[in-house]
Amino acid sequence: WSTEFVETGDLLHDAAVMYSNIYLNKTLQHKIDLISRLATSYRCDGILYHSMRSCKRYSLGQPITRREVTEATGIPGALIEGDMCDARAFSEEQAFTRIEALLEVIDSN
């Protein structure tokens, strides 16, 4: 991130630039590239994605993102699901199973 775009003094322009650069407003490919770059840069062993059912803009494309990032970087990922508005959408057992599977993949690498 850079704050250069908020220093023009034109509030309307600055707001437009800031909102158009929000992660949720970017293309799926941009998200894949960004996560790949960050995961590689931080030398991640694995990535845990959280799909938020009540936030479709955030969660849309996460299974594809997980697959594509793993293919691009070799870094495994797991996707857990939940919902900040409805606790019934979260399965603790399923989350633990997916996290354990991710840890097994990481350990085998």
Side-chain angles (χ1 to χ4, degrees):
W1 275 106
S2 171
T3 58
E4 296 172 21
F5 54 83
V6 296
E7 298 176 1
T8 68
D10 180 348
L11 182 60
L12 186 57
H13 174 267
D14 293 347
V17 171
M18 287 176 60
Y19 281 108
S20 64
N21 281 300
I22 292 173
Y23 176 82
L24 296 178
N25 294 337
K26 295 293 190 173
T27 66
L28 184 58
Q29 189 59 53
H30 175 82
K31 294 173 186 179
I32 292 165
D33 294 342
L34 176 63
I35 293 170
S36 297
R37 190 172 65 250
L38 290 171
T40 301
S41 178
Y42 284 103
R43 297 181 294 185
C44 294
D45 295 320
I47 303 171
L48 186 60
Y49 299 86
H50 180 248
S51 179
M52 181 69 65
R53 290 186 182 178
S54 62
C55 186
K56 300 297 183 202
R57 295 273 303 140
Y58 180 75
S59 299
L60 188 65
Q62 280 188 331
I64 297 166
T65 300
R66 183 187 56 80
R67 184 188 71 231
E68 294 293 322
V69 168
T70 297
E71 287 180 12
T73 65
I75 300 170
L79 180 65
I80 59 173
E81 296 174 345
D83 191 322
M84 64 187 180
C85 297
D86 187 354
R88 296 173 297 174
F90 178 73
S91 167
E92 189 172 329
E93 287 180 23
Q94 183 184 66
F96 278 124
T97 300
R98 291 182 180 175
I99 293 168
E100 287 174 347
L102 176 61
L103 292 174
E104 287 178 17
V105 171
I106 291 170
D107 284 343
S108 68
N109 289 339

